[in-house]
Amino acid sequence: MKKIYKCLKNIYAKYKNKTPFPPKISIIITARCNLKCKFCNFHAEHLPGDEKIYNEISVNDWKKIIDKISFFHPEIIIFGGEPFIYKNINELLLYIVEKKLKCHVFT
């Protein structure tokens, strides 16, 4: 989590006087998927079935990230493997709406 904050802080410091904030933020919510589409990189048959391999960020950590970026009102684009496999997707989507941010989910 600290690495994400540090990355956001570095991006902000680098571009704060040069460009406006990004209008859209893409979030890969999970790498898990219930399909095995040949054209998709997320089906990952080569990965073991161990859930730990996916290292999903908790919903509370996503909320902290949303709090940090919400001041510039970006559109949030959620995708991944299959976003609706993420355990707390409903809670996260409701939180994004509460923050009055536009949100798109690609499934």
Side-chain angles (χ1 to χ4, degrees), residues 1-48:
M1 195 65 208
K2 289 180 183 179
K3 288 180 183 179
I4 293 172
Y5 290 144
K6 185 177 180 181
C7 180
L8 288 172
K9 186 177 177 181
N10 289 340
I11 290 170
Y12 174 75
K14 184 175 181 180
Y15 294 105
K16 70 178 179 180
N17 295 322
K18 296 180 183 177
T19 60
F21 292 103
K24 297 178 183 179
I25 301 287
S26 296
I27 295 173
I28 299 174
I29 197 81
T30 184
R32 293 182 295 141
C33 185
N34 53 339
L35 299 177
K36 294 182 180 177
C37 303
K38 291 185 180 194
F39 59 84
C40 181
N41 293 328
F42 284 104
H43 73 78
E45 279 184 341
H46 58 280
L47 294 175

Side-chain angles (χ1 to χ4, degrees), residues 77-96:
I77 300 168
I78 297 176
F79 67 104
E82 171 51 55
F84 290 104
I85 288 178
Y86 182 72
K87 181 170 72 172
N88 297 308
I89 189 70
N90 290 338
E91 183 180 347
L92 181 61
L93 292 173
L94 287 171
Y95 192 75
I96 291 169

